[in-house]
Amino acid sequence: MKSYTMDLGGRPLTLEFGEVCKQANGGLLVRYGDTVVVVAATGTKTPREGVDFFPLTVDFEEKMYAVGKIPGGFIKREGRPSTHAVLTSRLIDRPIRPMFPDGYRNDVQIVATAVSVDPDNAPDIPGMIGASAALCVSDIPFEGPIAGVRVGLIDGQYIVNPTVEQFKVSRLNLAVAGTTDAILMVEAGCKEISEQEMLDAIFFAHENIKKICEFISGIQAEIGKPKMEVPKYNPPEELVKEIEEFGAEKLKAALMDANKLQREENVDRVKKEIAEAFIEKYPENGTDVAYITQKLVKKIVRRTIAVDKIRPDGRALDEVRPVTCRVGLLPRVHGSSLFTRGQTQIMNACTLAPLREAQVIEGLGPEEMQRYIHHYNFPPYSVGETKPLRSPGRREIGHGALAERALLPVIPSEEDFPYTLRLVSEVLESNGSSSMGSVCASTLSLMDAGVPIKAPVAGVAMGLVKDGDFFTILTDIQGLEDALGDMDFKVAGTEHGITAMQMDMKIDGINREIFEQALAQAKRGREFIMGKMMECISEPRKSLSRWAPKITSITVDPEKIAKIIGPGGKTIKKIVEETGAKIDIEDTGKVYIASPDSDAIEKAIKAIDGITAEAEVGKIYTGKVTRIMNFGAFVEILPGKEGMVHISQLSTERVEKVEDVVSVGDEIMVKCVEIDSKGRINLSRKAILQGTKK
């Protein structure tokens, strides 16, 4: 076994090779604190027939034994990956994917398995570093190394891989990945930080990334296997030249159209012309013709943007497509919106519910209750396709998490707004950046629902096309610019600062100058979109929808919670049945009562008050006679609390028999005149009657 250790954020990071995963192309054990991740990289010797893309798969596996837990449910075995596991798989995948040679088509699979987890040392970054190291020492033609770190911001100081307690007070949760030369991937959730703070954080992270990359490079030089040769595919030069001469101008004209569907139709028509002209002439080169034509499309788009500064739809480089906003679209939901930007359209619905409907998050960390949830759906019709509808894929989960992260800093606290909130973004049409459209639609929907958010949030997607020394930064990229460009850079925030960011690169990273320009241009784009949103609805509605549950909270003595619940939940069930309200009780004594009907809430409060209330000397009650004795009558003045009216206190006149004045079941008004040392309650009807005579 070979073991290598470096310091990372004041803790030892150890990579152990040669003992595990020996049949994989590359494998190791990563140790960071008490966190241990097994990482294996495996690749096929030859590509599958007919594969025209790079089939990379990254899986992050959470094992519950890593934190001493047995999975819940009947089967007691880990099932489908959790949302967190999917997001971690994406985090590892995104910086690794651009680091393979062009034309490499062999299947590659990375499996990172968290087998021991220390909460203060999350397994995601060790998993990423392990994936890079496994690929570097293998014979798979990986052009790394890459590495990543997380960064927090506390009291103006940047911290590498913060602990759980540090993250609680950090204004920033930033994950950055890159090479020794450039940044490849950024993912952040933050509390309205400035562009300059974000820029400094990213390049603070990069300084630490360089050290890890140098560490892995040293290991590779010592124990790495020789890389396999990747055959270069070069179509015949004469054919390339002929197709360019025949079709370049036609394709350029076809590509210059603002309407996505029309542009695709135009391009398909020209591609068909090229195929008919050249496959007949070169019947043995049918695959070459299709390949050359697609490469020509990419070349034209990229050069037109990077060098000529012309976008396919004719917009200025920093121009946002036309934006329209609507709220109150759906009459029965609690809040709704329709956000349209060019040919991207998102419908969002906001649902408010009692806190008991919060999502329970079980995983490798402590169990959590998530009261703000965002879901994102991308049906095939949104891009004019027909496909079977399946459960959400990694893309849907990732986009939903990004929009959720963008809005989280402005969601009111549980104390200020005791609701569970679920937002659902339905992508009705897509031509670029539906995730940032979801951020905007969510803001509108929350304000339409009357949720007192701290500030509205808008988002925009930025692009980059680099051609040699020429580069162009694009605001509000459409699908074609995303697919054929070099960067997808999404920024969301309020007027005060950034709340979320995500960046992915298709080239080997970008420098500080490009980053700085992209952030500044993104801010202007966000401000423009925010202005359009504010024209539609400028602040949260003053009241909730009539269909939304009204929630009131009261506080009771925690020692009396058992009384409210009753044996087997009998008492609370009775209150719910009689009032129709939903009731949630916390161990602290906080009671939340929810119902669309205000009267139901009042009835429930009255019932709970009755259970928890204590008799007070001098207070008047209307009670029910429960028992009659020779010496007086017992009256229930509060639920479960009886007092006695002595025969001498039943009337202002002499009473011979108790039954002459009251019967069991009668309701009478009484006054509490004494609570003795044993807690017995003495009542007087006589005091009430004397008061009435006066």
Side-chain angles (χ1 to χ4, degrees), residues 286-315:
T287 303
D288 291 330
V289 171
Y291 177 83
I292 294 165
T293 304
Q294 188 54 39
K295 286 288 183 182
L296 183 56
V297 169
K298 185 173 182 178
K299 179 181 175 181
I300 291 167
V301 171
R302 292 174 58 80
R303 188 156 187 83
T304 302
I305 293 172
V307 181
D308 301 335
K309 309 297 183 186
I310 297 172
R311 300 176 76 167
D313 58 6
R315 278 184 292 151

Side-chain angles (χ1 to χ4, degrees), residues 45-294:
K45 291 184 174 22
T46 56
R48 283 178 281 150
E49 191 175 342
V51 172
D52 60 354
F53 63 95
F54 172 43
L56 171 67
T57 306
V58 177
D59 292 299
F60 178 79
E61 297 281 302
E62 292 180 326
K63 300 297 182 182
M64 297 302 283
Y65 59 72
V67 288
K69 293 181 182 178
I70 294 175
F74 179 75
I75 298 173
K76 300 299 177 188
R77 182 175 185 145
E78 289 86 359
R80 62 181 296 177
S82 68
T83 296
H84 182 264
V86 170
L87 296 175
T88 303
S89 297
R90 282 170 55 86
L91 191 77
I92 297 170
D93 181 302
R94 284 157 42 204
I96 284 173
R97 189 171 289 274
M99 300 303 292
F100 290 85
D102 188 31
Y104 184 56
R105 298 290 181 261
N106 296 31
D107 284 83
V108 174
Q109 183 178 31
I110 311 293
V111 180
T113 308
V115 294
S116 176
V117 173
D118 163 9
D120 281 335
N121 298 291
D124 50 1
I125 295 300
M128 181 192 293
I129 293 169
S132 174
L135 286 164
C136 283
V137 302
S138 76
D139 60 346
I140 297 169
F142 178 65
E143 298 174 343
I146 66 100
V149 295
R150 283 196 179 273
V151 174
L153 177 58
I154 303 172
D155 297 329
Q157 297 296 314
Y158 296 110
I159 299 170
V160 175
N161 294 347
T163 64
V164 171
E165 290 304 312
Q166 286 174 325
F167 265 132
K168 286 179 181 178
V169 295
S170 175
R171 293 178 56 221
L172 173 67
N173 184 347
L174 169 71
V176 182
T179 65
T180 52
D181 300 318
I183 304 296
L184 286 171
M185 186 276 295
V186 174
E187 185 167 287
C190 33
K191 299 174 182 176
E192 298 180 298
I193 73 168
S194 69
E195 278 72 13
Q196 189 59 51
E197 286 175 315
M198 178 62 79
L199 200 62
D200 290 343
I202 289 168
F203 284 91
F204 169 80
H206 192 222
E207 289 305 311
N208 288 275
I209 287 167
K210 289 177 185 177
K211 296 173 187 175
I212 305 169
C213 287
E214 289 166 5
F215 173 59
I216 296 173
S217 291
I219 297 170
Q220 182 179 1
E222 184 179 334
I223 65 171
K225 301 173 187 175
K227 297 297 182 186
M228 68 172 64
E229 291 291 326
V230 179
K232 295 270 186 184
Y233 170 64
N234 293 309
E237 289 185 19
E238 272 304 312
L239 185 57
V240 173
K241 187 177 178 183
E242 284 188 51
I243 290 176
E244 286 194 2
E245 288 175 355
F246 177 87
E249 289 303 318
K250 291 180 181 180
L251 280 171
K252 186 172 183 179
L255 285 161
M256 298 300 116
D257 197 308
N259 186 288
K260 174 189 172 185
L261 298 178
Q262 186 61 55
R263 180 173 61 246
E264 289 174 350
E265 189 178 313
N266 295 341
V267 172
D268 286 344
R269 186 185 69 250
V270 177
K271 282 183 177 179
K272 189 177 179 183
E273 285 180 31
I274 293 171
E276 288 173 351
F278 288 92
I279 292 175
E280 184 178 343
K281 186 176 179 181
Y282 302 100
E284 72 283 1
N285 294 103
T287 303
D288 291 330
V289 171
Y291 177 83
I292 294 165
T293 304
Q294 188 54 39

Side-chain angles (χ1 to χ4, degrees), residues 186 199 202 489 503 511-519:
V186 174
L199 200 62
I202 289 168
F489 185 23
M503 185 201 77
N511 58 30
R512 189 179 184 109
E513 178 193 0
I514 294 175
F515 240 122
E516 204 159 357
Q517 286 189 38
L519 277 170

Side-chain angles (χ1 to χ4, degrees), residues 441-480:
S442 295
T443 294
L444 295 168
S445 187
L446 285 163
M447 293 200 291
D448 182 52
V451 178
I453 58 174
K454 297 169 186 175
V457 180
V460 68
M462 309 298 293
L464 169 73
V465 180
K466 201 167 180 289
D467 191 331
D469 294 333
F470 298 96
F471 72 87
T472 297
I473 297 169
L474 303 172
T475 298
D476 179 28
I477 54 173
Q478 58 177 311
L480 182 70

Side-chain angles (χ1 to χ4, degrees), residues 575-595:
I575 297 172
V576 170
E577 287 171 6
E578 290 178 351
T579 64
K582 292 181 180 180
I583 302 171
D584 296 314
I585 305 175
E586 294 183 350
D587 293 341
T588 58
K590 199 84 168 177
V591 181
Y592 296 98
I593 304 159
S595 172

Side-chain angles (χ1 to χ4, degrees), residues 291 316 321 341 355 413 560 633 643 683 692:
Y291 177 83
R321 287 169 290 178
R341 187 193 58 238
L355 291 170
S413 68
K560 294 181 180 177
L683 306 171
T692 303

